[in-house]
Amino acid sequence: MELNYEKLGLRVGFEIHQELDTHKLFCNCPSALRDEEPRLEVKRRLRPTQSELGEVDRAALAEALKGKGFRYQLYPDSVCLVELDEEPPHLVNEEAVDITLEAALLLNAKPLDEVHTMRKIVIDGSNTCGFQRTLLIATGGRVEVEGKSFRVPTICLEEDAARKMGEGAELIDYRLDRLGIPLVEIATGPDFFDPYTPAKAALYIGQLLRATGKVKRGIGTIRQDVNISIAGGARQEIKGVQELALISTVIEREVQRQWALLEIRDEIKRRGAGKVVKKIIDVRGVFSKTSSEVVRSALRAGGTVLVVKLPKFAGFLGKELQPGRRFGTELADCAKLYGGVGGLFHTDELPAYGISQEEVDGLRKATGATESDAVVFIADVKEKAEAALSAVVDRANQALEGVPEETRRALPDGNTEFMRPLPGAGRMYPETDIPPIAITPLRLRQIKARLPELPEKRRARLVEKYGLGKELAERMSLSENLELFEELVRKSKANPTLIATTLEETLVSLRREGVRVEVIQKAVLEELFAGVAKGKLAKEAVSEVLREAARGVSVQTAIEKLGLAVMGGAELRKLVRKIVAGNRELIERRGRAAIAPLMGILMERVRGRADGKLVHELLERELKKRGAK
Amino acid sequence: MSGYRGKVQQLLRAASVEVGDRVRVEKAGSVYEGVLMPRTELGDPNHIVLKLASGYNLGIKLGKGAKLVKLEKGKPPRLGIPPLKIKRDPSKPDVSIVGTGGTIASRVDYRTGAVYPAFTPEEIYSAVPELANLANIRVIEACNVFSEHMTPELWVKVGKAIAKELNAGARGVVVAHGTDTMGYTAAALSFMLKDLFRPVVLVGSQRSSDRPSSDAALNLIGAVTVAGKSDIAEVCVVMHGSTEDDFCLIHRGTKVRKCHTSRRDTFQTINDIPIGMVRGGELKLFRDDYNRAKPKGRVKVDGKFESRVALLKVTPGMPSSVIEGMLKARDKGIVLEGTGLGHVPESLFEGIKFAVSKGVPVVMTSQCLWGRIDMKVYSTGRDLLQLGVIPAEDMLPETAYVKLMWVLAHAKGVEEVSKLMRTNLAGEITPRTRPDVFLKPVFSLKASD
Ligand SMILES: [Zn+2]
């Protein structure tokens, strides 16, 4: 579907959350994730706190209604009482503040004079204390990507949440290893008007952050949230887009979803639908002889079947909002979340799943539904089914208004599912356990003095100064080895491209083979490249020497042992003549086209003891002499 | 109140800006708009604090070149909680909550970030609705200080408030108290309240009630359950029994001690097992040797305390001049927290001898906390007994301290002091030491077992 995004009034902004490579934000525990079974578990509950007028925040209320407890998994050697909310937070990790200031300056933002730690209420259990601590560090940033400028209004430092490990009927499991890892949160303005630029901007910001050299790398260490709205629709906060490549799909599909929801609203209004009422009826009797396994097992377990009518909704529950997700799926999301039920049935998809036409007729009769009405039913424990259907009615009523503001979770295919209503703005209050931090001019001067090069400048410099190809320069500019690369070039005087390829490619593929390249010391690399520069060994031999060096063999010994010392000119010419002589038939048949197979044979024989270019030259000369055409 | 002083205060006055007003500050190319927040007294005097629309607070240094403009007059905070009118239910017990200064329940005004304590029964019901199913609540304020500022005079004030409620018909009394000195107050009330015929329950919280993870609600529900349902006519402390939000333990007021600076299960019964536990509104008692509640009775407050008592932790090489100094300050009694079974260095002998000769009783407890004083085993102990030191059995040092204050105000002469100190008056001395009461494991894999 080709859409005119400008006409649709698409507006996109995003937030990047990047883990910092330092210990936890409010305690001295390492920022390390654990894979083994947890040593201990602690069960807790959270209660929504009373805010002004006794109203709890609507997102907080949604969680409280679910009424689940939390089971926290912990490891006494790497999780302390702070994560367990049994000890007040320590002073803020100053290194994390420094890294965030560095990021802020790279994003052209203005650091605050004084930073205050805030508590943001989150009672889904992912924070043991019921709030996430967050610090606004800088404001007013601006970045340019591909000639387009966009705002970065806020740069925050916050603590990561606990990892959700599973969810049962009564408890949600969280692992406390991730709780408290410092994250820098970078939020852009709603300054993007198409689905494709945000990913590029996110990539660039990611590169800037990595340029500091103080952020974590790898899966899960950087996450994106995307804010999307279209004209007439509503703002959605889509959480946890792990891959940049998915951002544009998520945006496209959200536009699709909102557009479809607006269509539903308009069509249903035309049909003259009014507010849906919560008239929930028990229809157990309809299913006394059912062949639906779901319904049968619910009844066997002492449950019942409850039903509600959605007037004028017939056909819309089956309407696709995103590929494979229908309006009925949205209703089911709410039912699962608020009622804790497994799912729901609706008349747009029935008869099916063992539910007969007679039973559908029975449902319609019980609710007085006509052909233009939809009927939704749930088979489960009465209280759960009731809560679920009540949520379904609420969601249906929202559909009459259009698109509700929601926090949604990104799914691996780019679709999204309902998580909770969008939280109200004012659920923050000061963390009284931590004093404000003054950001002094001296501190900023010190950070400015050691700011890293911007990625684009660095790339240009690598191309200009070292003659690296564009792709290699790009890779090197983002590499952890950059400093080492420049040092090796300076000290060894070897070809920079060789050094860069060795660091970024050869060592990587050796590691994949299982060679313990991590034991190779810097001095070994220096000696190796100096050897190449002085002609003691050919660059083709580098990989072989590294293989030996990983076993603790010195560079010199490796060269000798492998017989890798560069062949003298005379020796090489003799070898070329011998090979040419031995392949007369091939040369007569293929003429100059025999060079390629002959090079293959020759390089095999020299095994890195000669420069390929030189071998090629000698071979050409020899063939010419023999008059090959 | 606003916390602003000096130059900044003058600047605010000049712009006629008050806390709560919406303002704009322009400084070095940045523009900040938000509501002016109060500054803590400890903060440096050069910054103002704004709350942005996003909810974040930030500090701005008001120096040269900063421009401050008032945008809008602040709205007064709306403090009304919707009245949750609950009619007295005659089928439910009447429980009085006596406030001493800590916050039992509170709510946050997210507009300003201020935390407001809940004081009226309606406010407490709104914060902890479960209480409405347990009891008819009445709230009285006996005093209003942080627990570290409690005094023996205030103990008596609290004791009188409790007696008044019980004698007026309350089924039980809950005392909301800060945790720091809750153990002292519990001990003082135990000695002070005579003919106690209904439960008196001290309760507090280790995580303030403005946070969703607060232990306050579970503790309060536990305390009201014990006060309204149990037949324990004693002073006890009801607090979290583990790090989980699962159950509370019921500790005897004379055997309980705050043992951890921050954990929820900081209160532990020492040298004995707790009286029982309460989980989900249900009581489970571990023992039956407690004082039973009676349908009728009259509590008397015997609130005379000799406040000039010292509690001294003995250290190696401690000189006698320390005790001489106490006597100079006219202390009337000394509780020693001795080493091991109840010992002190020789260097302290002179001081002790001097105190005893002046008729100032010296009581021995142990800094081990767990275990019983036994001064017959080693010669140092025997020497100290010879000097007239009174061994305090397995009493907690803090309990012995409070008890000596009460005993000194009631006994005639050193002999009677010694006798009373060795007599169990309120469960402070256990005759036998159970083998299962030393340092339970910090965590068990399932804390609920
Ligand atoms: Zn920790």
Side-chain angles (χ1 to χ4, degrees):
Chain A
M1 172 164 49
E2 197 53 50
L3 291 169
N4 184 339
Y5 290 105
E6 206 187 313
K7 229 171 161 183
L8 285 169
L10 174 64
R11 290 206 148 226
V12 180
F14 62 86
E15 284 172 14
I16 283 186
H17 299 91
Q18 166 75 61
E19 287 185 355
L20 304 183
D21 195 13
T22 172
H23 69 82
K24 287 191 175 176
L25 193 51
F26 295 107
C27 67
N28 289 312
C29 290
S31 296
L33 297 189
R34 305 285 294 259
D35 291 326
E36 68 271 29
E37 281 300 296
R39 285 272 315 283
L40 298 169
E41 289 177 341
V42 169
K43 278 183 251 161
R44 292 269 177 77
R45 299 194 73 87
L46 293 175
R47 302 170 67 92
T49 50
Q50 294 256 313
S51 67
E52 198 184 0
L53 288 170
E55 285 168 21
V56 290
D57 177 78
R58 58 181 163 151
L61 193 65
E63 295 298 334
L65 280 175
K66 291 202 290 173
K68 283 191 183 172
F70 311 109
R71 184 162 51 195
Y72 296 110
Q73 308 177 343
L74 58 136
Y75 306 84
D77 55 336
S78 67
V79 170
C80 72
L81 286 187
V82 173
E83 289 97 318
L84 205 52
D85 188 41
E86 282 283 39
E87 182 172 301
H90 301 188
L91 291 175
V92 179
N93 174 348
E94 291 289 342
E95 192 188 6
V97 177
D98 277 348
I99 302 169
T100 312
L101 284 169
E102 194 174 325
L105 293 175
L106 289 173
L107 292 160
N108 307 304
K110 296 217 171 62
L112 303 181
D113 294 342
E114 191 183 68
V115 168
H116 291 238
T117 306
M118 304 299 290
R119 297 170 170 179
K120 190 196 273 180
I121 295 288
V122 180
I123 59 162
D124 63 2
S126 60
N127 286 70
T128 45
C129 41
F131 48 75
Q132 179 190 33
R133 297 187 186 90
T134 172
L135 303 86
L136 178 63
I137 301 279
T139 60
R142 189 169 271 283
V143 174
E144 201 170 285
V145 170
E146 294 187 350
K148 281 182 208 155
S149 169
F150 61 93
R151 289 169 296 167
V152 183
T154 58
I155 290 125
C156 296
L157 173 60
E158 58 186 32
E159 53 181 350
D160 206 346
R163 282 203 281 164
K164 188 168 174 176
M165 306 304 285
E167 179 164 358
E170 306 289 325
L171 287 167
I172 303 177
D173 282 299
Y174 285 104
R175 191 166 285 186
L176 294 187
D177 51 359
R178 203 178 68 185
L179 180 64
I181 294 182
L183 290 178
V184 57
E185 186 212 74
I186 293 164
T188 75
D191 296 354
F192 302 93
F193 310 102
D194 69 83
Y196 315 108
T197 323
K200 290 176 193 158
L203 175 70
Y204 179 72
I205 292 177
Q207 289 175 353
L208 272 187
L209 292 174
R210 271 187 280 166
T212 65
K214 291 156 201 155
V215 302
K216 287 201 180 265
R217 292 158 183 252
I219 298 160
T221 60
I222 186 162
R223 302 193 294 272
Q224 286 87 20
D225 295 347
V226 187
N227 293 306
I228 307 170
S229 65
I230 62 171
R235 193 164 80 86
Q236 309 293 319
E237 193 175 301
I238 294 168
K239 292 267 181 203
V241 186
Q242 300 248 0
E243 283 172 69
L244 289 176
L246 209 57
I247 291 181
S248 54
T249 315
V250 164
I251 298 169
E252 284 169 349
R253 294 198 175 181
E254 177 56 26
V255 172
Q256 241 174 329
R257 194 183 69 94
Q258 294 203 18
W259 188 246
L261 284 172
L262 293 176
E263 279 178 353
I264 290 179
R265 177 197 63 189
D266 295 344
E267 184 59 33
I268 216 158
K269 282 256 157 97
R270 259 196 295 280
R271 286 191 192 173
K275 196 162 177 276
V276 184
V277 287
K278 275 185 196 168
K279 199 179 162 204
I280 297 168
I281 304 168
D282 196 314
V283 287
R284 195 179 337 195
V286 173
F287 293 94
S288 53
K289 291 189 190 97
T290 190
S291 50
S292 156
E293 193 39 53
V294 176
V295 176
R296 272 216 311 253
S297 66
L299 291 175
R300 256 202 313 274
T304 188
V305 184
L306 297 186
V307 67
V308 79
K309 176 171 77 168
L310 306 181
K312 313 287 182 202
F313 271 78
F316 293 127
L317 273 61
K319 184 178 164 77
E320 197 166 70
L321 305 180
Q322 291 178 330
R325 282 184 61 87
R326 295 154 206 288
F327 181 57
T329 325
E330 299 265 295
L331 296 181
D333 283 351
C334 294
K336 287 178 198 165
L337 190 71
Y338 292 110
V341 297
L344 51 73
F345 294 99
H346 58 79
T347 43
D348 279 2
E349 56 178 4
L350 299 176
Y353 314 113
I355 288 155
S356 66
Q357 183 60 49
E358 289 70 43
E359 285 163 345
V360 173
D361 293 343
L363 287 172
R364 288 200 182 278
K365 203 173 152 207
T367 53
T370 67
E371 282 301 309
S372 66
D373 302 333
V375 176
V376 176
F377 77 87
I378 293 172
D380 210 313
V381 179
K382 185 164 173 276
E383 288 74 26
K384 289 166 85 178
E386 234 164 37
L389 282 182
S390 167
V392 165
V393 170
D394 289 341
R395 181 64 189 86
N397 278 322
Q398 287 176 331
L400 300 176
E401 306 291 322
V403 187
E405 288 191 337
E406 288 171 349
T407 302
R408 301 180 65 83
R409 183 185 296 111
L411 299 172
D413 60 358
N415 281 346
T416 56
E417 68 179 9
F418 176 67
M419 269 174 89
R420 53 174 180 259
L422 203 60
R427 44 177 197 151
M428 264 199 242
Y429 66 113
E431 169 58 88
T432 42
D433 295 341
I434 295 168
I437 310 161
I439 308 295
T440 62
L442 173 68
R443 185 173 191 170
L444 287 178
R445 274 202 302 279
Q446 283 166 345
I447 291 169
K448 268 180 197 152
R450 50 164 207 259
L451 274 189
E453 245 175 326
L454 294 175
E456 61 269 30
K457 282 204 181 132
R458 180 178 285 177
R459 273 197 299 276
R461 187 170 60 87
L462 289 171
V463 172
E464 260 166 50
K465 185 169 172 192
Y466 299 111
L468 299 189
K470 230 179 127 191
E471 229 166 89
L472 193 56
E474 164 105 32
R475 240 169 113 176
M476 202 68 236
S477 73
L478 301 173
S479 167
E480 287 166 309
N481 292 323
L482 180 68
E483 217 173 295
L484 177 64
F485 163 74
E486 301 207 77
E487 190 182 336
L488 289 172
V489 172
R490 204 167 54 241
K491 289 193 175 154
S492 72
K493 309 272 188 296
N495 178 342
T497 300
L498 170 68
I499 297 177
T501 329
T502 308
L503 294 179
E504 293 303 299
E505 288 166 17
T506 315
L507 284 174
V508 176
S509 54
L510 284 174
R511 180 181 294 125
R512 279 197 201 115
E513 283 174 38
V515 178
R516 293 176 54 225
V517 294
E518 60 279 1
V519 305
I520 300 173
Q521 300 292 313
K522 194 163 76 181
V524 172
L525 292 173
E526 257 177 61
E527 192 186 345
L528 173 65
F529 290 119
V532 177
K534 289 189 193 118
K536 276 167 80 180
L537 75 161
K539 64 177 194 292
E540 283 75 6
V542 163
S543 165
E544 287 303 307
V545 174
L546 287 173
R547 211 182 277 275
E548 289 299 311
R551 303 202 329 242
V553 179
S554 79
V555 174
Q556 193 51 47
T557 317
I559 293 172
E560 283 162 15
K561 183 180 157 201
L562 297 169
L564 286 177
V566 170
M567 283 180 163
E571 196 188 351
L572 197 57
R573 267 194 296 278
K574 210 169 125 194
L575 179 69
V576 171
R577 270 201 298 276
K578 191 177 151 205
I579 297 294
V580 168
N583 288 282
R584 219 173 286 151
E585 197 191 334
L586 177 79
I587 296 163
E588 270 163 24
R589 200 173 63 218
R590 302 190 54 185
R592 285 181 53 78
I595 284 188
L598 288 176
M599 268 307 280
I601 298 165
L602 271 165
M603 288 314 285
E604 172 84 37
R605 292 287 289 272
V606 299
R607 279 188 55 224
R609 291 169 59 217
D611 184 85
K613 231 169 99 190
L614 181 62
V615 177
H616 195 269
E617 232 176 77
L618 290 176
L619 179 60
E620 276 212 320
R621 210 182 296 162
E622 187 64 28
L623 287 178
K624 219 182 217 164
K625 229 161 58 189
R626 295 191 173 243
K629 283 170 235 119
Chain B
M1 187 61 204
S2 74
Y4 292 108
R5 50 192 196 274
K7 247 196 194 128
V8 165
Q9 194 183 27
Q10 286 167 22
L11 282 166
L12 290 173
R13 274 203 194 126
S16 64
V17 169
E18 286 172 29
V19 166
D21 292 351
R22 225 163 65 74
V23 299
R24 173 164 53 222
V25 183
E26 289 172 32
K27 194 196 161 188
S30 291
V31 181
Y32 304 101
E33 280 186 20
V35 176
L36 184 73
M37 294 284 110
R39 181 124 181 111
T40 64
E41 302 288 342
L42 296 173
D44 85 88
N46 305 318
H47 291 78
I48 59 165
V49 181
L50 291 195
K51 184 175 207 63
L52 305 181
S54 61
Y56 279 101
N57 284 15
L58 57 83
I60 305 170
K61 194 165 185 175
L62 275 195
K64 271 173 275 163
K67 216 174 101 195
L68 171 73
V69 190
K70 177 154 128 185
L71 297 175
E72 199 185 337
K73 179 93 195 99
K75 300 176 194 85
R78 291 178 299 170
L79 289 180
I81 260 185
L84 190 66
K85 276 290 167 216
I86 289 172
K87 275 211 337 231
R88 183 176 177 276
D89 177 352
S91 71
K92 294 201 178 82
D94 296 310
V95 171
S96 299
I97 299 180
V98 174
T100 62
T103 54
I104 319 159
S106 56
R107 66 216 137 89
V108 182
D109 173 5
Y110 291 113
R111 198 177 59 85
T112 60
V115 177
Y116 296 100
F119 273 130
T120 66
E122 286 78 20
E123 287 168 352
I124 290 172
Y125 281 137
S126 325
V128 189
E130 294 95 321
L131 294 180
N133 301 326
L134 289 171
N136 302 301
I137 302 286
R138 216 174 98 81
V139 183
I140 305 101
E141 193 189 75
C143 59
N144 192 3
V145 295
F146 285 134
S147 113
E148 59 270 34
H149 303 318
M150 266 286 170
T151 61
E153 291 74 40
L154 292 176
W155 296 340
V156 179
K157 224 176 151 187
V158 173
K160 285 183 174 158
I162 294 168
K164 196 175 161 201
E165 291 305 306
L166 290 179
N167 292 336
R171 170 65 178 74
V173 171
V174 169
V175 180
H177 200 290
T179 53
D180 272 17
T181 66
M182 191 189 282
Y184 291 85
T185 305
L189 292 171
S190 303
F191 296 116
M192 187 198 311
L193 296 175
K194 293 294 165 198
D195 302 329
L196 188 59
F197 66 107
R198 279 177 181 166
V200 172
V201 188
L202 283 84
V203 71
S205 68
Q206 285 285 84
R207 298 279 91 73
S208 60
S209 53
D210 57 78
R211 44 166 87 207
S213 63
S214 173
D215 54 335
L218 186 79
N219 292 346
L220 191 57
I221 291 166
V224 170
T225 305
V226 175
K229 269 179 138 178
S230 85
D231 64 345
I232 307 167
E234 291 196 24
V235 176
C236 46
V237 166
V238 170
M239 291 282 290
H240 261 59
S242 76
T243 188
E244 303 201 324
D245 292 320
D246 183 22
F247 65 96
C248 290
L249 286 171
I250 308 165
H251 305 277
R252 180 163 275 156
T254 47
K255 295 304 269 184
V256 66
R257 192 173 192 278
K258 185 175 184 179
C259 291
H260 197 279
T261 59
S262 58
R263 285 177 59 121
R264 286 164 172 76
D265 51 358
T266 177
F267 281 93
Q268 308 271 332
T269 291
I270 302 219
N271 288 329
D272 209 343
I273 58 166
I275 299 175
M277 64 184 272
V278 52
R279 172 193 271 144
E282 294 299 319
L283 292 158
K284 186 174 160 192
L285 300 183
F286 302 153
R287 51 198 301 163
D288 54 16
D289 62 345
Y290 56 88
N291 196 29
R292 297 300 149 98
K294 294 180 202 71
K296 278 204 173 78
R298 190 158 183 87
V299 192
K300 286 186 278 298
V301 178
D302 192 348
K304 274 185 289 177
F305 283 91
E306 170 54 67
S307 60
R308 280 172 299 176
V309 170
L311 172 56
L312 178 65
K313 185 172 209 127
V314 168
T315 53
M318 180 177 267
S320 283
S321 56
V322 175
I323 292 183
E324 283 152 17
M326 289 172 168
L327 295 176
K328 265 194 205 126
R330 305 203 300 138
D331 275 338
K332 301 291 188 203
I334 298 171
V335 175
L336 296 176
E337 213 176 272
T339 55
L341 288 163
H343 302 136
V344 305
E346 257 175 346
S347 51
L348 214 52
F349 279 22
E350 273 310 305
I352 292 171
K353 217 185 283 177
F354 184 54
V356 173
S357 75
K358 293 278 174 190
V360 172
V362 179
V363 176
M364 181 64 77
T365 63
S366 175
Q367 50 193 253
C368 295
L369 302 179
W370 273 273
R372 193 176 297 273
I373 293 297
D374 194 328
M375 296 164 73
K376 308 180 303 300
V377 180
Y378 296 103
S379 61
T380 304
R382 292 193 287 270
D383 291 347
L384 288 166
L385 283 175
Q386 282 281 293
L387 291 177
V389 172
I390 305 161
E393 296 280 338
D394 69 337
M395 232 189 288
L396 280 167
E398 298 85 356
T399 299
Y401 165 77
V402 172
K403 183 178 180 183
L404 185 57
M405 292 168 91
W406 191 84
V407 165
L408 279 170
H410 290 81
K412 294 178 198 71
V414 185
E415 274 311 305
E416 202 187 341
V417 169
S418 176
K419 198 180 140 221
L420 282 174
M421 285 308 290
R422 294 175 212 222
T423 310
N424 182 23
L425 301 179
E428 72 279 15
I429 296 171
T430 50
R432 47 184 294 276
T433 313
R434 294 175 59 116
D436 56 353
V437 297
F438 179 52
L439 283 182
K440 63 173 182 177
V442 176
F443 277 105
S444 56
L445 274 170
K446 280 192 188 143
S448 47
D449 286 351

